[in-house]
Amino acid sequence: MTRLKIGISSCLLGDQVRFDGGHKRDTFLTEVLAPYVEWVRVCPEVEIGLGIPRETLRLVNVGGDARMITTRTGIDHTDTMRAYARRRTAELASAGLRGYVLKKDSPSCGMERVKVYDGSAPTRTGVGTYAEILKETFPALPIEEEGRLADAVLRENFIERVFAYDRLRALFDAAWTQQALIAFHTAHKLALLAHSTTAYQALGRLVAGLPGGFAPPDPPARSLARTSGPAPLAWLTRCRSFAGGTAPSRVELQRQYESSFMSALARPSTTKRHTNVLQHMAGHLKDKIDDGSKRELVSCIDEYRRGLVPLVVPLTLLRHHVRAHDIDYLAGQTYLEPHPRELMLRNHV
């Protein structure tokens, strides 16, 4: 197994680099996720030369600019940090990162809602000075804070995005073809549908090369759950040819698809959307399983909808039927297993 590279605020791994000489070791990151990733440690404050321990910093509104200033001596480290951040992110561009975990509330690393002081009560409107440039440099990179990862839905969403981004980079970092992009999109259709119907339709139009405003309908479930006949790839290709749309340039197609794909996955799935996808998958089984199995599957999906069982329960039953009846289209969907099963992320959503 190839471990994915993820950037991280090094204090979260137990490195004693905080202002007080301590750390903020996170159990999920260091014990659960660690076997699947290669951490790329970064501590911006130490790397610009600040000592351990050191005077605390905070963001201060100065003429509309959030400046990173020491709390006691009033030394402004903003320009130094910004220059460092540009150099460091340029280095990270060649590191093959697949995600990044930041320290929440930090004036250098906070992803959002960092306190900004302006002489009155602080407002939670800031972004850490380093984090701001990191996000600007890597707009498609999955970035999250360790505090938000305590939420089971946000945790599963982040890890899903990390592994999806790895597959996306494997596609676009190679000499990709339009056929390869269509195959990639086909494998991620149900994952996209679980996040955003609008994005699912828009990306379908983009891949099919159709004019804006017209989306091809999905093939009927019977043809998708095929044992013979045309594949979804061939269907999408025919749709593009039939529509006669003008495809964007290769560079623009990659840019649009990467941005839209990762933006769609950044919207956390909901129980309602998952239920919609589960029912969609069940529709492909209606001519394959007996009445008793149908009732069991419908009941299992409804129990998930009502919050009685986690998502892993109906997914396990669906995987069983997909394998038993050799339904190629569903078997190829990343939605069934978007990240290592051993992480057990869908046992809690």
Side-chain angles (χ1 to χ4, degrees):
M1 179 190 72
T2 301
R3 295 188 176 193
L4 305 187
K5 288 187 176 182
I6 298 181
I8 189 167
S9 296
S10 56
C11 62
L12 299 176
L13 297 179
D15 294 357
Q16 295 177 318
V17 293
R18 283 176 58 78
F19 70 93
D20 58 0
H23 63 78
K24 286 290 182 178
R25 184 178 181 274
D26 184 273
T27 302
F28 171 73
L29 298 173
T30 57
E31 297 181 10
V32 179
L33 189 57
Y36 302 92
V37 305
E38 177 183 339
W39 297 115
V40 178
R41 287 171 157 87
V42 180
C43 179
E45 294 177 20
V46 170
E47 291 182 22
I48 66 169
L50 300 182
I52 307 171
R54 58 185 171 273
E55 186 178 353
T56 55
L57 295 156
R58 66 181 182 179
L59 296 182
V60 179
N61 182 9
V62 180
D65 186 17
R67 309 290 295 182
M68 197 179 76
I69 300 174
T70 56
T71 56
R72 181 173 54 84
T73 58
I75 299 173
D76 190 332
H77 291 286
T78 311
D79 295 339
T80 301
M81 180 60 76
R82 286 175 177 166
Y84 157 81
R86 293 186 185 96
R87 292 194 306 271
R88 193 69 167 98
T89 54
E91 295 169 1
L92 292 173
S94 60
L97 295 185
R98 298 299 184 253
Y100 207 113
V101 183
L102 292 164
K103 178 70 191 78
K104 74 180 183 72
D105 296 334
S106 164
S108 57
C109 291
M111 184 183 79
E112 63 180 20
R113 292 179 53 77
V114 179
K115 288 181 179 179
V116 179
Y117 294 80
D118 61 0
S120 56
T123 60
R124 285 195 168 273
T125 56
V127 176
T129 307
Y130 170 78
E132 185 174 25
I133 291 175
L134 177 76
K135 292 166 69 177
E136 290 174 358
T137 305
F138 304 111
L141 185 72
I143 299 176
E144 192 52 272
E145 294 183 328
E146 99 289 356
R148 284 165 50 93
L149 292 179
D151 181 291
V153 172
L154 297 179
R155 182 169 62 243
E156 196 272 338
N157 176 257
F158 174 66
I159 302 303
E160 178 188 11
R161 286 188 287 141
V162 165
F163 281 89
Y165 188 63
D166 182 57
R167 294 189 294 270
L168 186 70
R169 291 267 54 88
L171 169 70
F172 284 139
D173 289 348
W176 64 276
T177 63
Q178 183 182 13
Q179 187 177 39
L181 176 57
I182 293 173
F184 176 92
H185 179 73
T186 299
H188 289 82
K189 285 183 72 174
L190 295 185
L192 289 165
L193 187 60
H195 289 271
S196 169
T197 302
T198 302
Y200 164 83
Q201 294 171 342
L203 280 164
R205 288 195 295 270
L206 178 64
V207 171
L210 300 173
F214 174 73
D218 275 343
R222 184 173 304 215
S223 68
L224 288 176
R226 69 197 184 289
T227 54
S228 62
L233 172 59
W235 177 83
L236 281 171
T237 304
R238 286 201 308 275
C239 276
R240 183 180 184 280
S241 176
F242 173 79
T246 302
S249 70
R250 180 182 175 85
V251 172
E252 180 62 15
L253 177 60
Q254 176 175 338
R255 187 196 68 78
Q256 288 185 28
Y257 190 89
E258 181 172 322
S259 175
S260 299
F261 179 80
M262 294 307 300
S263 294
L265 295 188
R267 305 173 189 176
S269 299
T270 63
T271 299
K272 183 177 180 179
R273 291 194 186 111
H274 278 307
T275 300
N276 177 47
V277 173
L278 295 171
Q279 291 171 339
H280 182 87
M281 296 176 74
H284 292 277
L285 295 166
K286 63 182 179 182
D287 297 329
K288 300 289 185 180
I289 59 180
D290 59 43
D291 289 344
S293 295
K294 289 178 187 176
R295 287 192 295 270
E296 179 187 32
L297 182 56
V298 169
S299 175
C300 189
I301 293 173
D302 189 60
E303 287 179 349
Y304 164 72
R305 181 187 65 80
R306 292 187 289 141
L308 301 179
V309 298
L311 180 59
V312 68
V313 175
L315 278 177
T316 300
L317 186 55
L318 278 164
R319 277 197 297 263
H320 162 73
H321 289 305
V322 168
R323 287 195 305 268
H325 298 283
D326 194 24
I327 303 175
D328 293 344
Y329 172 72
L330 294 183
Q333 291 297 307
T334 62
Y335 179 79
L336 282 173
E337 199 159 340
H339 35 61
R341 200 176 304 178
E342 293 79 3
L343 289 172
M344 298 188 291
L345 297 172
R346 288 183 162 178
N347 293 39
H348 307 287
V349 297

